[in-house]
Structures are given as structure tokens and as C-alpha cells.
Amino acid sequence: MSLSNFFDNPERLDRWITIAQSSFLPLVKGALLYSLTLAIVAFFFGLILAILTALARISGIKPLVAIARVYVSIIRGTPLLVQLFIIFFGLPSIGIMIDPIPSAIIGFSLSVGAYSSEVVRAAILSIPKGQWEAAYSIGMTYRQALQRVILPQAARVSVPPLSNSFISLVKDTSLAAAILVPEMFRKAQEIVASTYEPLLLYSEAALIYWIICSILSIIQDRLENKLDRYV
């Protein structure tokens, strides 16, 4: 059916409108309860892992540096979808059974940890050495200097790239549909299976992703503007 014939077919157009209206709420529910929540939880744990990995990389302790390098290399050198499949479908072959949502959280957290660790490491290294020396001169230990002086300044530098990473993660949660997580894209697939309207449902899901990411981009801009006041 050509595009002109489609719009000349009122029954088909009415069917699309009906399906779009009935599917909108389930898709938004999947986005808020699963896609966005999954992204927030995974980003939280991934950021903790990123900080630990970055500190290991700059620690100068060879075993820690080696472990951190191998971890980052493996995660950055393999597709995220493959990692999710290994966790959810592969580990049961050796007796490790993990449910879909925990599997997705583990996979996304490992990915965020590896990629964001480079951002955090670069941010820490960008702080002038004089800041360390000033902290030591007033009697601070390494840990105190890191917590009270270095990390707060590094956080400001890290905000733009980390915000972009979070927005990308929200979109990447669609990969969780492949391991049966009932997030928005999975909901769209289920509705397509019963309506046979893939163009409509996948376009509707794409529109919702775009709206969410646009809102997050606005929040990111305002956060950056607020932090710029203190620079």
C-alpha cells in the first residue's frame, strides 16, 4: 500500500489512531517503571564502579591498575548486547541463574562503569597538582584531600560527559527487551505481535524515547548553567 493510498483509507487510519491511543499508556508505563528506573539504578551503581576503577587506574598499584585496565578493555571491546546475553543466557549453563531485571542492571552497570571511569579519571587528572599540595599543606591525608578537594572539583568537570552517558543509557535500555525485561521497547514488541503494526508501534516508542531524552537534555543544560556560576 502506497502512502497516498494509506491516507485515502479511512478504516486503516482509524485503526492506527485507535491502536496508538490504546498503546500509549502501556508504553509510557514501561518507560517510567522499567526503562527510566533501570537507567537510574544502573547509572548509580555504574558511577560507583567508575569512581573505583578510575582511582585504581591512578593509584600506581600495579595489580589494581592491571585489573582496571583489563576490565575496561573487555567491556569497551565487546558489544553491550553480547554482554547481556552472556549474563542472562550464558551464566545459567554453569549454574548461575539471574532474573531478567538483575541481569540488565548488572550488564548496564558494568558498561557504565567502564566507559565513565575514563571520564572520571580524566576529570581527576585535570585538577592541578597544586590543589593536592594545598590540601596536604593543611594536614589532610590522601583520602581527605580526595574527598574534600579533588572529587568535588572533578565532579564539575565530569557533569557534561556523564550527563550524556546517562541519556545514552536511557536509550540503551531498549536492549533489555532481548533478555525479557518488560521495558518500553518490549511492550512495543508485544503489542506489535497482536496488532501487526510495527511501523506505528516502533515509531510511537521512538517518539516517547525522544521526548524523555529531550527533557533530560533540558535538565542537563540547566544543571550545567547552575554549576557554571561557581567557576
Side-chain angles (χ1 to χ4, degrees):
M1 180 184 292
S2 66
L3 187 61
S4 59
N5 290 337
F6 172 80
F7 286 106
D8 290 337
N9 187 340
E11 293 183 0
R12 183 70 185 280
L13 187 58
D14 288 342
R15 171 179 163 81
W16 268 41
I17 294 174
T18 301
I19 294 174
Q21 291 175 340
S22 62
S23 63
F24 183 75
L25 188 58
L27 291 180
V28 171
K29 184 178 179 181
L32 297 180
L33 294 183
Y34 291 96
S35 299
L36 196 55
T37 302
L38 180 60
I40 293 172
V41 174
F43 190 77
F44 173 77
F45 289 112
L47 190 56
I48 294 175
L49 185 57
I51 294 173
L52 295 176
T53 303
L55 293 178
R57 290 285 300 274
I58 65 176
S59 66
I61 303 174
K62 291 185 178 180
L64 291 180
V65 173
I67 292 173
R69 283 181 177 275
V70 170
Y71 157 63
V72 172
S73 177
I74 291 175
I75 298 299
R76 295 182 66 180
T78 55
L80 178 55
L81 184 60
V82 173
Q83 297 164 18
L84 293 174
F85 270 54
I86 290 174
I87 295 170
F88 184 69
F89 295 111
L91 292 182
S93 64
I94 58 174
I96 302 176
M97 306 290 293
I98 306 178
D99 291 335
I101 293 178
S103 295
I105 291 175
I106 293 172
F108 290 133
S109 296
L110 290 173
S111 178
V112 170
Y115 283 94
S116 297
S117 68
E118 295 300 291
V119 174
V120 175
R121 184 171 71 92
I124 293 175
L125 294 178
S126 71
I127 305 302
K129 292 184 179 180
Q131 296 292 312
W132 289 97
E133 295 171 356
Y136 292 147
S137 68
I138 59 175
M140 286 188 181
T141 64
Y142 175 84
R143 181 176 180 180
Q144 290 174 329
L146 188 66
Q147 291 179 340
R148 300 179 184 180
V149 179
I150 304 302
L151 287 182
Q153 296 182 69
R156 166 63 190 89
V157 179
S158 302
V159 165
L162 289 180
S163 298
N164 291 331
S165 296
F166 178 72
I167 294 174
S168 296
L169 178 61
V170 172
K171 294 180 290 184
D172 288 341
T173 56
S174 60
L175 295 175
I179 59 172
L180 310 180
V181 175
E183 47 75 58
M184 181 172 64
F185 190 65
R186 179 71 179 179
K187 292 291 185 182
Q189 290 178 319
E190 293 173 353
I191 299 173
V192 167
S194 60
T195 62
Y196 303 102
E197 295 288 358
L199 177 59
L200 171 63
L201 271 303
Y202 294 150
S203 297
E204 189 175 11
L207 176 62
I208 296 173
Y209 277 119
W210 176 70
I211 292 173
I212 292 174
C213 291
S214 297
I215 294 173
L216 292 175
S217 296
I218 293 173
I219 296 174
Q220 174 189 355
D221 291 340
R222 292 185 176 181
L223 179 59
E224 290 181 21
N225 291 334
K226 185 177 181 180
L227 291 174
D228 284 340
R229 298 176 185 175
Y230 305 103
V231 177

